[in-house]
Amino acid sequence: MSDVQKVQVGEVQLAYRVWGEEAAPPAVLLHCLGEDGEDWRGVVARLTATHRVYALDQRGHGHSDWPGEYGFERWRDDVIGFLAALGLERVTLIGHSLGAVAALLAAEASPERVERLIVEEPAPPVRAEPPLEVPEAPEGPLAFDWRAKAAVVAERNAPDPAWWSGLAGIAAPTLVIGGGPTSHIPQSHLADLVDRIPDARLVTIDGAGHLVHEERPLEFLAAVNTFLTPHA
């Protein structure tokens, strides 16, 4: 569909793919832990009907640099730097899981850059109970840096309280998509998230689990399209 391109953002090179008409409004896609921009291929075709779509490989994943230094604020800063490097002034930001947290933090830090925000199954910025443990790295080559997994676990166990309080500063209309009780993310936390964001709504796709756009792409796209349609 599209070749991988790269851009320098701070100390890292970030890889991305781009589809759609250049004149269309931009949408930036942020994948979950362990994936890369290829993870969105099942829904890209529909999104390009209305948007110029950029699918980023976040640091430590895919074709982007694996510097060994990770954390949600680094992923957040990479997103903001990516938008600046490509001259994307106002975007629809769509994130899944790890990418959803990065998207939330980017919308908190740079509200002027995020026109619409869609977060699928975000890990809520509250302390994990019981605490998470880092599993042993699997044998053989991986498509991402396992140190990123360790960083996520550490920050899930002791998140910065400012991330939670900062949700009130998100200016963009926000759609939170949950996968229902089969997800490992407590759905009550997603409802709490929506309550803290000034203009937010929650759509639950029951039975989809954590991988909503993969398991239920048509329902995911229907929710996204309804949200992005003017005056929806």
Side-chain angles (χ1 to χ4, degrees):
M1 287 229 268
S2 180
D3 292 332
V4 173
Q5 303 180 46
K6 291 193 175 183
V7 63
Q8 189 73 34
V9 175
E11 78 278 13
V12 294
Q13 270 201 336
L14 298 178
Y16 66 98
R17 301 147 189 80
V18 59
W19 305 272
E21 298 295 330
E22 288 188 20
V28 176
L29 311 182
L30 305 174
H31 60 79
C32 67
L33 179 71
E35 295 289 346
D36 59 24
E38 293 289 328
D39 184 58
W40 296 101
R41 281 195 180 271
V43 298
V44 159
R46 175 62 188 84
L47 294 174
T48 56
T50 54
H51 287 77
R52 173 84 160 171
V53 178
Y54 300 80
L56 182 64
D57 287 3
Q58 296 179 87
R59 71 162 63 201
H61 294 76
H63 297 281
S64 290
D65 285 349
W66 297 16
E69 299 294 331
Y70 305 106
F72 288 121
E73 292 186 355
R74 285 190 168 89
W75 285 307
R76 173 203 66 191
D77 292 345
D78 288 346
V79 173
I80 296 170
F82 177 79
L83 300 182
L86 270 64
L88 303 176
E89 295 182 357
R90 295 276 289 171
V91 305
T92 292
L93 195 55
I94 304 176
H96 174 220
S97 196
L98 178 155
V101 177
L104 286 166
L105 296 181
E108 289 180 10
S110 292
E112 74 284 357
R113 287 196 175 273
V114 182
E115 185 169 10
R116 292 266 175 152
L117 177 63
I118 300 170
V119 287
E120 172 194 352
E121 284 280 306
V126 293
R127 186 182 302 273
E129 293 292 348
L132 304 175
E133 295 184 2
V134 181
E136 290 292 326
E139 294 184 3
L142 296 173
F144 75 108
D145 190 339
W146 194 253
R147 290 171 291 183
K149 173 77 169 178
V152 167
V153 168
E155 292 191 338
R156 287 290 314 281
N157 287 337
D160 186 339
W163 300 347
W164 189 248
S165 61
L167 295 171
I170 293 177
T174 301
L175 174 66
V176 179
I177 299 177
T182 54
S183 169
H184 70 277
I185 299 294
Q187 299 296 288
S188 62
H189 288 179
L190 300 186
D192 291 343
L193 196 74
V194 167
D195 287 342
R196 288 176 174 267
I197 298 172
D199 183 5
R201 66 186 78 169
L202 173 64
V203 171
T204 300
I205 300 176
D206 277 325
H210 190 55
L211 308 177
V212 182
H213 73 271
E214 182 177 322
E215 295 294 331
R216 299 284 186 83
L218 295 181
E219 291 169 76
F220 173 85
L221 287 167
V224 168
N225 184 59
T226 298
F227 176 68
L228 294 180
T229 300
H231 310 300

